[in-house]
Amino acid sequence: MEAAVKRSSGAVQEDRLWQRHAEMAELGGTPKGGVNRQALSAEDAAARTLLMSWAKARNFAVFTDAIGNLFVRRDGADAKAPPVMSGSHMDSQPTGGRFDGMYGVLAAFEALEALEDAGIRTRRPVIAVAWTNEEGSRFQPGAMGSAVFAGVYKLDEMLATKDWKGVVLKDALGETLKAAPAPMRDGNPGFDVGFYVEAHIEQGPRLEAAHKTIGVVTAIQGSRRYIVEIDGEEAHAGTTPRAARKDAYAAATRIAAAMYEATNDADDTLRFTIGHVEVLPGSPNTVPGKVTFTIDMRHPDDAVLEAHEKKLHDIVSRKARPCPARIERVTSVAPTGFDTRVIDLVRAKAQALKLSHMDMPSGAGHDAMHIARLCPAGMIFVPCERGISHNEIENAAPSDLAAGTRVLVEVLQELANR
Ligand code: GLV
Ligand code: MN
Ligand code: MN
């Protein structure tokens, strides 16, 4: 009966969607054309305000929760039915692109507008969501808002986390909600959700290389993140003989070299990154007394991550000497397999819209990995230029963004009537 069903995808407006990306890109815009809109910053608050102004113009209800997740709801015929939800994040890396996360939020919002413009009534409400602090570059761990929503992390523990400058998340959230006020949902974050579908740029090169428009995402690889802290002893750089030094940075470089070696797998599947290093006191002529660095490790098989965590402990205990060292595991997210009902529906809708597509796993982490614990979930990828992401030059084609949104709205419409 497909012909009798009103097609929401026909109401997706490529220009409107592109224009909204351009307006959002001005908030925290950088000279190289990217954005610096870190979680719970003034720029993040500005993005929330802008999204809420668009929601208000369409008479969609808006609300937030105790971790600052922002929801935009289009009512359904059955107010009691658990909603269908779609979204992503509006925070960025310090040198981030315009599309990572923001595309998923704007695609979801465009889906709400398309349903409205096409005059389609759904049974379930449809919600567009902007999750708090997905990137985890300012406050750790990342994907925080969706994890609290899903009951994976405790609200109180997350509110107490600090950024690298010592700002407490609860205070930054308070400032954000003061600058971008929204009605607060009572109680702990989380409510019943029927289905969740997240759109995102691929952030890798596979779709572009295969000349495909839609990635039907089947899974997300597992990831673990650590902070390694090494204590040295401050000493004079000109006078202190090597044997008398406890150089925290020298210890860090030995650990780093051994870990790069240990994670160099033949098929290039294991991902290992040291992305943040702090050397204290940070003076050219003082032997470093303290080093803190992060490790981000990912693989589709949790057992491989477990084995490499053991290697990390062994390497740190051997290579840090004579400096005492500690390893804190900040996150451990097991690989996520998406629900076959959602995967099959995304593929079927891409097919029906005559869009080229391929099944693929996600190398990056996404909020969907936490929401998949609550309800059937899935993701839709679109290509990005040369696969570049977490970079100010990140780019995507307006027609691809619109194509992904057309698939999204068709999927949401169908799920909202199930
Ligand atoms: C999200 O940006 C991730 O690090 O995968
Ligand atoms: Mn993202
Ligand atoms: Mn990202």
Side-chain angles (χ1 to χ4, degrees):
M1 290 292 287
E2 182 81 8
V5 177
K6 278 196 207 170
R7 298 298 292 266
S8 47
S9 56
V12 167
Q13 292 182 28
E14 182 178 318
D15 291 352
R16 177 170 65 188
L17 180 64
W18 184 252
Q19 183 57 30
R20 294 217 191 286
H21 280 89
E23 283 182 54
M24 282 291 187
E26 284 173 23
L27 308 175
T30 58
K32 287 188 194 162
V35 289
N36 177 6
R37 191 171 47 237
Q38 294 183 62
L40 306 177
S41 61
E43 294 76 21
D44 185 358
R48 290 161 185 260
T49 301
L50 185 56
L51 181 65
M52 284 192 281
S53 75
W54 293 335
K56 192 159 172 239
R58 299 302 310 237
N59 285 318
F60 298 142
V62 166
F63 61 101
T64 189
D65 65 13
I67 193 70
N69 296 317
L70 182 59
F71 304 89
V72 177
R73 187 184 69 238
R74 180 175 188 265
D75 289 333
D78 180 356
K80 290 214 179 73
V84 169
M85 194 144 71
S86 177
S88 194
H89 58 98
M90 302 201 290
D91 67 314
S92 81
Q93 291 286 314
T95 52
R98 303 166 160 222
F99 305 96
D100 175 4
M102 187 54 83
Y103 169 56
V105 174
L106 296 182
F109 188 75
E110 178 66 33
L112 262 58
E113 293 202 283
L115 290 168
E116 191 74 9
D117 291 343
I120 291 167
R121 189 127 170 92
T122 56
R123 184 175 79 79
R124 297 173 187 271
V126 183
I127 290 182
V129 56
W131 302 109
T132 295
N133 183 32
E134 191 276 343
E135 294 292 3
S137 46
R138 178 181 177 196
F139 295 99
Q140 300 202 58
M144 186 185 280
S146 52
V148 171
F149 185 92
V152 178
Y153 303 151
K154 290 201 176 73
L155 174 65
D156 288 352
E157 287 175 15
M158 295 303 110
L159 292 175
T161 57
K162 292 181 182 156
D163 73 4
W164 300 106
K165 292 184 181 141
V167 177
V168 179
L169 187 137
K170 188 176 182 202
D171 297 335
L173 177 59
E175 289 296 315
T176 302
L177 296 181
K178 203 160 77 188
M184 175 65 68
R185 193 178 174 277
D186 288 339
N188 264 329
F191 48 79
D192 279 352
V193 180
F195 298 92
Y196 179 76
V197 188
E198 178 167 348
H200 208 284
I201 56 165
E202 181 200 343
Q203 304 183 276
R206 294 184 56 196
L207 286 172
E208 191 182 68
H211 303 286
K212 305 281 189 205
T213 305
I214 301 294
V216 180
V217 186
T218 53
I220 297 182
Q221 68 176 341
S223 68
R224 296 189 185 199
R225 200 169 303 171
Y226 309 87
I227 296 178
V228 181
E229 254 185 10
I230 303 168
D231 294 320
E233 190 172 78
E234 290 169 19
H236 196 290
T239 60
T240 317
R242 203 177 300 159
R245 291 183 183 215
K246 287 186 184 149
D247 184 334
Y249 186 67
T253 59
R254 289 192 295 274
I255 293 167
M259 280 305 293
Y260 285 123
E261 185 64 36
T263 53
N264 188 359
D265 56 340
D267 58 356
D268 191 15
T269 306
L270 183 58
R271 300 275 169 261
F272 175 84
T273 305
I274 295 175
H276 180 100
V277 182
E278 202 167 57
V279 183
L280 293 174
S283 167
N285 50 351
T286 296
V287 173
K290 188 174 180 90
V291 169
T292 305
F293 67 93
T294 58
I295 289 177
D296 179 301
M297 206 153 56
R298 312 195 194 198
H299 196 278
D301 181 352
D302 213 37
V304 174
L305 293 174
E306 185 61 30
H308 284 82
E309 182 173 305
K310 288 206 173 73
K311 283 188 194 172
L312 173 66
H313 279 273
D314 173 54
I315 284 170
V316 168
S317 69
R318 284 187 294 111
K319 302 283 182 182
R321 280 198 286 260
C323 301
R326 292 171 294 288
I327 304 166
E328 183 195 349
R329 190 168 78 186
V330 187
T331 49
S332 169
V333 185
T336 305
F338 287 127
D339 191 282
T340 48
R341 286 164 290 179
V342 179
I343 296 170
D344 291 347
L345 186 59
V346 169
R347 196 188 301 107
K349 292 298 182 186
Q351 190 86 35
L353 289 164
K354 299 192 169 34
L355 294 163
S356 58
H357 57 88
M358 62 190 257
D359 286 12
M360 61 188 301
S362 172
H366 298 287
D367 294 300
M369 68 199 176
H370 294 311
I371 307 305
R373 293 166 162 257
L374 297 182
C375 64
M379 289 192 74
I380 299 167
F381 277 173
V382 295
C384 59
E385 203 174 287
R386 291 189 288 141
I388 295 173
S389 185
H390 284 193
N391 188 317
E392 290 156 272
I393 65 167
E394 176 187 276
N395 199 13
S399 58
D400 289 339
L401 299 174
T405 308
R406 283 197 284 275
V407 175
L408 177 68
V409 70
E410 291 278 339
V411 168
L412 295 178
Q413 182 184 350
E414 179 151 338
L415 294 175
N417 288 324
R418 272 191 194 169

